């Protein structure tokens, strides 16, 4: 078989075999609808409640504060729209950051069309939101602050505890998109003063299309999905039992030993990152040098373009991602890379490698062998590189 | 995402490299996605004797450069001028819709190189009328 080196764990992860095993009985054997009254249904109901407890315990919440959704995007939409529409009388102002995932940014943009006003806080060159900026942006019309726990592109980990303290003090609800943070950074909703938190199963070796929203007791939140009375009348729809069971098992495993697990990944990441910066001149590291997800590398190779890097890596069986305009449907370079101040050209040449359980030391060696050659080859075709060489 | 022809021209680009003492050079940039293409021409007796390219850009941009230089080799300047982005994309057996603008870059690069040659020969540069017509054909929607 062709060699496959998967370094795109921030995009998605494979379902762990233990997770799959936990899910399998709930497709065909234990298929009961938890809303029904017979014994078969009770098994499903218990499975859901067991998973709810697993999710709660992973983030320091209590089970009745956890609501299952169809993933990170729905959780973000629910938290933001649900808060906005439930607090219309109180205010119309939302604070977020310029580098949020589109599930947050596009939801905020939608709310702007509905009469809300949104402050998009800038970030510094490392992608950090300043808690002081959050504090200064709060007005008496502010009904929500939403800042992600960790960025999906450059991996920057935000000071959410400080932001949580400020928002709690000012009495403004605080939502955080922790989709990339679960299993990578320790999160405790009580200590971090988080009011709402989004998470998604497929980012930590659980299934796709399942997620959860944590909603602290007492937080006013309108419904997003209307219909039946599931999830204590907060989120309609017959429960995705296998997905929920998988989410519970996956988050339990992902958070069992965060320091131990991340130390292993970070060691590989550090060797790979140092190796790339060493072997390839004119390469910039995007994101923060230390306050970043343990598995994330995001670099810009000057004078070349990201999609062509990906295509050549793919020809060598390496899966990665880029913030280049050419590879996006919108033909816009990554809003995150622009927000940290990269010129279009440099954003164009960005490469994201995100490591995970699928990787071993040999993969690091392999990428360190292939990647510099790919960059060299593309640079040999680049008029910008030729001009640089000629111009010096 | 790309078909085999595109991938072949991307992975094994023809005519890549800078030309020493070219008779015409055209450098064009794509405002849409930021790609940059440079076309070099050697002209003998009104024909493209040799054409090479240097490109900063995506797979479609590199493949289009490769195909465009193939298409104009041996052609008269008039024939080369008439090579449209549609012809480049067609010779590549098609490009994804969001990548068609990369083949426009190839057409513009050829035009820029030909006019650079004409200027060096103290000839009137040719006007971009042809291109405007193609765009109308294609729906005329350039943003
Ligand atoms: C930070 C962040 N938020 C939200 C999402 C959306 O999650 P999902 O794919 O589960 O809808 C993602 C996944 O790409 C993400 O990385
Ligand atoms: Zn392009």
């Amino acid at each position: 078989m062709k060699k496959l080196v998967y370094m795109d764990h921030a995009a998605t992860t494979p379902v762990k075999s233990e997770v799959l095993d936990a899910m399998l009985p709930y497709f065909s054997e234990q298929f009961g609808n938890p809303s029904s009254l017979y014994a078969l249904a009770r098994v499903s109901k218990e499975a859901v409640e067991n998973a709810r407890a697993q999710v709660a315990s992973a983030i320091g919440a209590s089970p009745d504060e956890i609501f299952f959704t169809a993933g990170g995007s729905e959780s973000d939409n629910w938290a933001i729209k649900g808060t906005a529409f439930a607090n219309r009388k109180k205010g119309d102002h939302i604070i977020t950051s310029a580098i949020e995932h589109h599930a947050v940014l596009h939801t905020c943009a939608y709310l702007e069309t509905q009469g809300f006003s949104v402050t998009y806080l800038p970030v510094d060159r490392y992608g950090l939101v300043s808690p002081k900026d959050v504090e200064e942006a709060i007005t008496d019309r502010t009904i929500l602050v939403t800042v992600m726990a960790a960025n999906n592109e450059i991996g920057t980990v935000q000071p959410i505890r400080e932001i949580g303290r400020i928002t709690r003090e000012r009495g403004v609800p605080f939502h955080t998109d922790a989709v990339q943070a679960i299993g990578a950074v320790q999160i405790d909703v009580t200590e971090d003063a988080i009011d709402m938190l989004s998470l998604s199963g497929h980012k930590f070796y659980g299934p796709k299309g399942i997620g959860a929203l944590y909603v602290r007791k007492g937080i006013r939140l309108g419904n997003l999905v209307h219909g039946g009375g599931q999830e204590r009348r907060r989120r309609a729809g017959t429960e995705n039992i296998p997905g929920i069971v998988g989410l519970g098992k996956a988050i339990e495993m992902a958070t069992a030993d965060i320091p131990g697990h991340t130390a292993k990944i970070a060691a590989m990441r550090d060797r790979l990152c140092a190796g790339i910066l060493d072997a390839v001149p004119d390469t910039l590291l995007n994101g923060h040098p230390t306050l970043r997800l343990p598995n994330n590398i995001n670099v810009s190779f000057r004078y070349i373009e990201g999609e062509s890097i990906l295509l050549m890596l793919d020809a060598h069986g390496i899966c990665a991602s880029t913030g280049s305009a050419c590879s996006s449907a919108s033909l816009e370079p990554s809003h995150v890379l622009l927000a940290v101040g990269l010129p279009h050209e440099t954003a164009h040449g960005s490469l994201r490698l995100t490591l995970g359980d699928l990787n071993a030391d040999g993969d690091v060696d392999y990428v360190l062998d292939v990647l510099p050659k790919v960059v060299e080859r593309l640079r040999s075709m680049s008029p910008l590189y030729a001009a640089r060489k000629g111009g010096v | 995402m790309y078909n085999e022809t595109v991938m072949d021209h991307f992975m094994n680009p023809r005519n890549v490299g800078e030309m020493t003492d070219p008779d015409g050079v055209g450098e064009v940039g794509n405002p849409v996605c930021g790609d940059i293409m440079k076309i070099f021409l050697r002209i003998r007796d009104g024909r493209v004797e040799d054409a090479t390219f240097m490109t900063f850009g995506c797979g479609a941009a590199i493949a289009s450069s490769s195909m465009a230089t193939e298409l104009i080799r041996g052609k008269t300047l008039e024939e080369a001028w008439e090579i449209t982005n549609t012809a480049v994309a067609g010779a590549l057996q098609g490009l994804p819709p969001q990548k068609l603008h990369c083949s426009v870059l190839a057409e513009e690069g050829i035009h820029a190189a030909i006019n650079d040659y004409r200027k060096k020969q103290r000839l009137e540069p040719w006007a971009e009328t042809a291109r405007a017509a193609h765009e109308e054909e294609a729906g005329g929607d350039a943003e």
Side-chain angles (χ1 to χ4, degrees):
Chain A
M1 210 187 87
K2 197 180 141 194
K3 190 170 174 75
L4 184 80
V5 173
Y6 185 79
M7 290 211 182
D8 203 15
H9 288 80
T12 195
T13 56
V15 173
K16 260 198 163 81
S17 64
E18 293 92 330
V19 172
L20 181 62
D21 288 346
M23 293 169 68
L24 284 175
Y26 295 93
F27 283 97
S28 300
E29 296 153 43
Q30 306 296 346
F31 64 91
N33 186 326
S35 302
S36 306
L37 292 176
Y38 31 76
L40 177 71
R42 258 198 321 274
V43 178
S44 302
K45 176 93 184 127
E46 278 166 20
V48 170
E49 295 317 315
N50 179 51
R52 201 184 305 283
Q54 286 169 317
V55 174
S57 119
I59 58 170
S62 78
D64 57 357
E65 295 173 314
I66 303 297
F67 300 89
F68 294 111
T69 67
S73 299
E74 185 191 325
S75 296
D76 287 342
N77 270 263
W78 184 12
I80 297 168
K81 290 179 198 166
T83 303
F85 290 126
N87 291 285
R88 235 183 177 151
K89 290 216 180 71
K90 259 182 77 186
D92 57 4
H93 180 227
I94 295 165
I95 298 170
T96 186
S97 86
I99 64 164
E100 298 296 309
H101 190 271
H102 283 145
V104 168
L105 287 181
H106 290 176
T107 302
C108 287
Y110 163 73
L111 287 175
E112 287 183 287
T113 71
Q114 301 300 303
F116 292 89
S117 74
V118 180
T119 299
Y120 299 91
L121 295 175
V123 292
D124 68 11
R125 57 194 278 242
Y126 302 117
L128 278 175
V129 173
S130 142
K132 193 163 152 282
D133 286 351
V134 174
E135 181 150 40
E136 287 169 0
I138 295 175
T139 73
D140 54 4
R141 309 282 303 161
T142 307
I143 49 174
L144 177 69
V145 170
T146 173
V147 174
M148 71 201 317
N151 184 266
N152 44 304
E153 291 186 36
I154 55 176
T156 304
V157 176
Q158 302 296 345
I160 50 168
R161 183 169 295 186
E162 286 171 58
I163 295 170
R165 280 196 191 129
I166 291 164
T167 51
R168 185 64 54 85
E169 209 168 87
R170 301 288 297 267
V172 177
F174 173 43
H175 165 254
T176 190
D177 175 339
V179 167
Q180 293 288 341
I182 298 293
V185 287
Q186 201 77 51
I187 290 183
D188 184 302
V189 290
T190 309
E191 283 179 39
D192 297 336
I194 296 165
D195 296 310
M196 286 172 282
L197 177 146
S198 300
L199 57 90
S200 176
H202 72 105
K203 305 291 186 179
F204 46 82
Y205 309 95
K208 297 170 181 50
I210 188 76
L213 182 66
Y214 152 78
V215 184
R216 190 166 73 91
K217 265 188 229 78
I219 290 295
R220 273 171 70 92
L221 182 72
N223 287 2
L224 180 73
V225 181
H226 301 270
Q230 291 88 355
E231 296 294 283
R232 285 148 292 140
R233 305 190 165 280
R234 305 289 291 274
R235 198 273 189 182
T238 300
E239 297 84 344
N240 174 358
I241 312 292
I244 290 171
V245 168
L247 179 73
K249 182 71 185 170
I251 202 167
E252 184 180 82
M253 295 183 72
T255 54
D257 175 23
I258 294 177
H261 184 249
T262 56
K264 207 176 121 236
I265 304 284
M268 281 191 285
R269 187 273 312 268
D270 290 343
R271 187 163 77 86
L272 179 56
C273 192
I276 293 169
L277 293 173
D278 214 41
V280 187
D282 289 317
T283 303
L284 315 160
L285 179 67
N286 300 317
H288 198 282
T290 53
L291 298 173
R292 75 188 295 143
L293 291 173
N295 72 342
N296 174 289
I297 296 176
N298 190 310
V299 286
S300 283
F301 299 108
R302 299 191 62 196
Y303 315 115
I304 57 173
E305 187 279 329
E307 187 206 89
S308 49
I309 303 173
L310 294 195
L311 290 172
M312 286 207 176
L313 289 179
D314 184 43
H316 289 92
I318 298 170
C319 307
S321 130
T322 176
S324 160
C326 274
S327 80
S328 77
S330 64
L331 293 173
E332 281 291 314
S334 142
H335 64 284
V336 176
L337 296 179
L338 297 185
V340 298
L342 291 197
H344 279 234
E345 259 165 47
T346 317
H348 221 38
S350 73
L351 176 73
R352 181 187 74 179
L353 297 163
T354 44
L355 286 74
D357 287 2
L358 288 178
N359 300 127
D361 281 325
D363 297 344
V364 172
D365 297 319
Y366 182 66
V367 173
L368 282 176
D369 178 40
V370 171
L371 180 59
K373 291 178 196 156
V374 164
V375 173
E376 182 57 39
R377 184 161 155 69
L378 288 168
R379 281 183 174 168
S380 75
M381 295 185 216
S382 166
L384 300 180
Y385 189 62
R388 175 213 83 114
K389 277 195 305 184
V392 173
Chain B
M1 169 174 173
Y2 293 125
N3 67 43
E4 276 179 31
T5 312
V6 176
M7 279 311 289
D8 176 41
H9 276 264
F10 169 70
M11 292 301 288
N12 313 292
R14 332 296 198 251
N15 314 317
V16 63
E18 290 182 294
M19 191 184 281
T20 39
D21 300 326
D23 299 311
V25 182
E27 180 165 337
V28 289
N30 190 329
V32 184
C33 72
D35 295 340
I36 294 170
M37 189 184 292
K38 198 168 178 181
I39 302 269
F40 303 82
L41 299 178
R42 171 135 21 255
I43 312 293
R44 284 292 172 276
D45 306 327
R47 280 187 189 271
V48 179
E49 187 186 71
D50 194 9
T52 66
F53 77 91
M54 294 285 275
T55 292
F56 161 73
C58 61
I62 290 174
S64 298
S65 313
S66 166
M67 182 55 87
T69 51
E70 282 287 274
L71 289 177
I72 61 173
R73 288 178 136 213
K75 296 268 189 325
T76 65
L77 286 181
E78 286 78 6
E79 289 166 341
W81 183 271
E82 290 302 322
I83 301 286
T84 62
N85 73 304
T86 325
V88 174
L92 286 169
Q93 315 283 327
L95 285 169
Q98 78 274 18
K99 291 290 184 177
L100 278 173
H101 63 90
C102 300
S103 56
V104 175
L105 200 60
E107 179 186 325
E108 288 174 351
I110 295 169
H111 287 183
I114 290 178
N115 273 338
D116 178 57
Y117 167 75
R118 288 183 62 82
K119 260 189 273 171
K120 283 178 183 157
Q121 303 296 311
R122 301 182 186 284
L123 295 167
E124 189 74 2
W126 284 336
E128 288 284 338
T129 48
R131 204 173 112 57
H134 307 316
E135 268 188 5
E136 254 159 55
E137 257 166 55
D141 181 22
E143 225 156 325

